[in-house]
Amino acid sequence: MKTIDELLAEGVAGKRVFVRADLNVPLAGTTITDDGRIRAVLPTVKALAEAGARVVVASHLGRPKGAPDPAFSLAPAAARLGELLGADVAFATDTVGDSATATVAGLADGRVAVLENLRFNAGETSKDDAERAAFADRLAVLADVYVGDGFGAVHRKHASVYDLPGKLPHYAGYLIATEVGVLKKLTQDVARPYVVALGGSKVSDKLAVIDELLGKADRILIGGGMAFTFLKAQGHEVGTSLLQEDQIPVVTEYLERAEKQGVELVLPVDVVVSPGFPDLKAKAPTEHAAVDADKMPEGRLGLDIGPKTGELYAGKLADAATVFWNGPMGVFEHPDYAEGTKAVAQALIDSDGFTVVGGGDSAAAVRTLGFDENAFGHISTGGGASLEYLEGKTLPGLAALEG
């Protein structure tokens, strides 16, 4: 995989460089609530601009239906990128139409433009190879060189991620190079003990990675909504908590495999329960209590790991040489159910090992709860991409850059 440093050494002054970024930031209306992904691509964009390239940044945002939708416009992200760069950033109001063509044509050396949301064109996400390739052809006209730096999208077989690199000289940006380097530390010659903390809502989202990690991790700590399927598999009452009954046979088999393979698969010993789901906007105090995991009352909803579990998990993380954490331990957006996630985050900070926060909601939790991002070894920008890499899958965007 060629890197941006090789591209810079070759010289980029006057060249149109297409940077596939991941500007898929959360929005409240037109206000960006977390600009982490924009900041993550800054080193690549700045290096190219300072070397005299005409930088064309492209990304998706959300899941529009293959047609323009103002709710998913990248205009706020383009404006924020300009603020972070300290320079004007041009914005094209389409992806491959008249505005994109004119905007790119008007770029001077060292200047940056952002194209409108790639997913406003159905060809970006099409499962039809010909339709996707045709859209990639139209994007290729806008550039001389391709730099892939949208790690959060490399697990997608999309036109700008998979097809376009094959049509232009292609290189990996700084973010992707960093992310791949980190993931190799989690899969090749891993420093031990290797501890994985998995949370989030659905156990089905994590089955493949658990299957893979049962042969590689020393300990796997389970939290979040997915924990209740494990607790149910052990015969415990889970009240009205999130439960995927169809996954109980698989979870049961994983518990048996873990025991046979000497992997500690650790489940909550207590949980925080409530009569119902809280109002995440109001964040008003709710009725809640910590109960033992094997004594959950009927009619109660589990929303976080309990304090005893937080202490237990902190102890299981204390001696780790390598830690991967993906998924919050509870509904961290509400203060009554954030303590479990805080406990795991703090345990990573206190660890002397190499700690990786696996993107998505975990990264959002770190920022929302006020932790210093620099206190972690690495915070990934791609939760889904990280998981699929750890599952041993070939990621289309990485394969395209290596080709």
Side-chain angles (χ1 to χ4, degrees), residues 190-202:
V190 184
R192 298 184 179 280
Y194 178 20
V195 185
V196 176
L198 296 175
S201 56
K202 294 182 179 179

Side-chain angles (χ1 to χ4, degrees), residues 7-21:
L7 172 60
L8 292 170
E10 294 167 9
V12 293
K15 290 184 178 179
R16 300 169 303 161
V17 181
F18 187 103
V19 177
R20 198 340 178 152

